[in-house]
Amino acid sequence: PSEIGKLTEMTHTLYLGSNLMTGSLPSEIGKLTEMQHSLFLGSNSMTGSLPSEIGKLTKINYDLWLYSNSLAGSLPSQIG
């Protein structure tokens, strides 16, 4: 959901895996620029293309889990 963009002060880990989330990954994901450790979004039912804004998550230094979804596209080189 787009409300994920309101979590701008999250700095360590956000675990939203296995939550039956559906729909596309919102562009607001790019507002989590202070996230430094891990973002878990795996094992949901998300579809669509990865938003380019995911490339703003350059501080994540451990894990970005997107597995077991039906997302299309590649991770931007900024976080690859």
Side-chain angles (χ1 to χ4, degrees), residues 34-46:
E34 297 304 312
M35 183 71 60
Q36 297 176 14
H37 193 263
S38 302
L39 177 58
F40 298 98
L41 296 170
S43 293
N44 283 296
S45 296
M46 292 186 289

Side-chain angles (χ1 to χ4, degrees), residues 46-79:
M46 292 186 289
T47 58
S49 297
L50 286 172
S52 61
E53 290 84 359
I54 203 166
K56 296 179 181 178
L57 305 181
T58 58
K59 292 184 181 180
I60 291 179
N61 61 18
Y62 192 68
D63 281 323
L64 175 59
W65 289 12
L66 300 171
Y67 66 90
S68 294
N69 284 292
S70 294
L71 296 167
S74 301
L75 289 174
S77 61
Q78 301 95 305
I79 60 171

